[in-house]
Amino acid sequence: MAVTKHAFSQDGAIDEYVLSNSSGTEVYVTTWGARLTRFIVKDKAGELRDIVPGFESYEQWQESLAVDDPYFGATVGRVAGRIWPCDQVEIDGRRCQLPEIQPDKVCLHGGKHGFDKKVFAAKVVSIMGPAAVQFAYISADGDEGFAGGIELRVTYSLDDTNALHIQYDGRLVAGTETILNPTNHTYWNLTGFAEPTIRNHVCRLRADHYMGTRTSPPLVPDGRLLPTAGTALDFATPRRLGDDLDSFDKSTSRGYDHVFVTGEQAEEPEVREVARISSVQSGLSLTVLTDQPAIVVYTGNWISDRLVGKYGVQYGNYAAVALETQRFANAANIPQFRDQVIVTRERPFVHNTIYHIESL
């Protein structure tokens, strides 16, 4: 197991770290957004596949933002998901004005310049054990409108079983309170884009409920926990993601963009399996394990077909699926869940997730 580093931007200001193991698997993460840019692994035939979308360089990534920003691979926050209304968020006794990213006062993924756009400090934290790099960033009081200063550390480690561990540690450094709910926004296509969509990926979710959403503005969690049984969101029995993908409203969701409830506490007592996807085409499976109470399944419903990424791959709707472990979305504005995302000096933030790749 090893960690190497090279420049990801032409001016050398952005670094990319490569974590590798004895199986030949390589995971690439940049200091820009603590962002996962490549996950290269052997398929059932022993051929290498890169199973996540992205771009060749920092400069190409910047050019892509003028077309679309699906948050490929990024650490997003301070708060992942939608917050509504974004101009009425109470933090530390202050009414905070968060950036409107979507119409009707919806903040998304931490604002215009959230963690995904920040440059993190990085250091190798493991030499003899699993290959590991820690990324750190201090978000000052008032950053993107959020009260309170927070230091976030995100540690990526890759072991010899092809399990990628991501640990988030948040510590309040200014004020008496803030809110925090980051996640990783990597998308997965287990065929390495040999199949242009994830319609044939088979999915299983350990979630009996999901968060209901408002009709206006759409897709904003409203606090209701609704049963998945008998709906298009029921993946208790493994089935194709594409089975019901076309049943959703084409003008709003277009597909899966739902908060699935996998636990009852802000931090479950142990990391456990919450989701699994697999591809017969590549013979690969991805198991997601976490100590968080929710996972957002987003099937890339709005990815632009004008995005051309690594290896000349053209992306588009449903090109890959994001599996975002987190606490309940919009919790800051839902009284019964608000405590999940509160960070104080006495109560730091901890979040552990594992993405484990295996052969079928």
Side-chain angles (χ1 to χ4, degrees):
M1 292 174 283
V3 178
T4 58
K5 182 181 77 169
H6 56 256
F8 191 61
S9 62
Q10 292 178 1
D11 63 4
I14 309 297
D15 290 324
E16 186 171 56
Y17 287 80
V18 184
L19 289 67
S20 59
N21 66 15
S22 60
S23 301
T25 298
E26 293 183 337
V27 174
Y28 293 59
V29 188
T30 75
T31 52
W32 180 61
R35 183 183 302 259
L36 196 158
T37 59
R38 301 175 194 261
F39 196 119
I40 300 173
V41 64
K42 292 178 182 176
D43 63 14
K44 63 183 177 183
E47 299 296 323
L48 291 172
R49 301 194 188 210
D50 186 351
I51 56 175
V52 304
F55 302 91
E56 295 288 350
S57 67
Y58 174 75
E59 288 75 23
Q60 290 185 19
W61 222 296
Q62 294 303 305
E63 292 173 3
S64 77
L65 297 181
V67 177
D68 186 20
D69 184 9
Y71 301 91
F72 286 159
T75 296
V76 295
R78 292 186 189 191
V79 176
R82 295 171 175 86
I83 298 178
W84 177 89
C86 64
D87 61 349
Q88 298 182 33
V89 181
E90 295 284 341
I91 306 174
D92 202 10
R94 294 154 53 183
R95 175 165 289 188
C96 298
Q97 302 278 336
L98 308 183
E100 182 184 60
I101 305 301
Q102 295 181 334
D104 299 323
K105 300 181 179 181
V106 176
C107 183
L108 179 68
H109 293 330
K112 295 179 180 178
H113 300 282
F115 290 150
D116 61 300
K117 303 297 190 305
K118 307 296 189 184
V119 178
F120 285 65
K123 64 178 181 180
V124 177
V125 293
S126 176
I127 302 298
M128 300 302 293
V133 179
Q134 184 180 88
F135 299 84
Y137 181 77
I138 296 178
S139 179
D141 179 28
D143 187 11
E144 292 299 289
F146 290 92
I150 196 82
E151 179 184 37
L152 178 69
R153 296 180 182 271
V154 184
T155 305
Y156 288 80
S157 61
L158 176 68
D159 67 24
D160 270 335
T161 71
N162 289 339
L164 177 65
H165 300 245
I166 306 178
Q167 179 174 320
Y168 307 80
D169 296 283
R171 180 175 67 92
L172 191 70
V173 294
T176 60
E177 174 187 283
T178 193
I179 59 175
L180 185 65
N181 188 19
T183 191
N184 180 273
H185 212 291
T186 295
Y187 293 75
W188 306 86
N189 181 319
L190 298 180
T191 74
F193 301 93
E195 291 182 354
T197 76
I198 42 73
R199 287 179 178 272
N200 289 327
H201 282 45
V202 173
C203 178
R204 179 182 68 197
L205 298 176
R206 298 189 183 277
D208 295 330
H209 291 80
Y210 68 99
M211 295 189 76
T213 57
R214 299 175 54 86
T215 55
S216 180
L219 306 178
V220 174
D222 60 13
R224 294 174 299 151
L225 303 184
L226 306 176
T228 58
T231 73
L233 280 68
D234 187 354
F235 286 93
T237 300
R239 61 191 184 91
R240 292 170 65 252
L241 283 171
D243 285 349
D244 288 309
L245 205 53
D246 295 322
S247 67
F248 294 94
D249 187 328
K250 296 300 182 183
S251 65
T252 54
S253 66
R254 288 191 184 179
Y256 294 98
D257 190 1
H258 297 79
V259 182
F260 289 87
V261 178
T262 59
E264 299 179 355
Q265 305 176 59
E267 296 171 42
E268 291 293 305
E270 60 184 16
V271 171
R272 76 281 182 219
E273 178 184 330
V274 295
R276 185 176 187 270
I277 60 172
S278 61
S279 166
V280 173
Q281 196 274 348
S282 66
L284 294 175
S285 70
L286 167 63
T287 303
V288 184
L289 307 97
T290 190
D291 58 7
Q292 297 300 286
I295 183 169
V296 173
V297 177
Y298 175 54
T299 44
N301 315 321
W302 294 90
I303 298 174
S304 172
D305 61 8
R306 293 188 295 133
L307 288 179
V308 178
K310 297 170 295 181
Y311 322 111
V313 173
Q314 181 179 6
Y315 303 126
N317 297 168
Y318 319 123
V321 58
L323 303 168
E324 311 161 47
T325 57
Q326 57 190 260
R327 299 175 188 186
F328 287 2
N330 201 32
N333 282 336
I334 302 175
Q336 64 268 36
F337 302 133
R338 177 178 168 81
D339 192 57
Q340 288 188 6
V341 296
I342 296 295
V343 175
T344 66
R345 294 182 187 274
E346 295 75 29
R347 184 185 176 186
F349 179 93
V350 179
H351 168 172
N352 291 280
T353 289
I354 301 169
Y355 296 98
H356 190 195
I357 301 292
E358 298 175 284
S359 294
L360 296 177

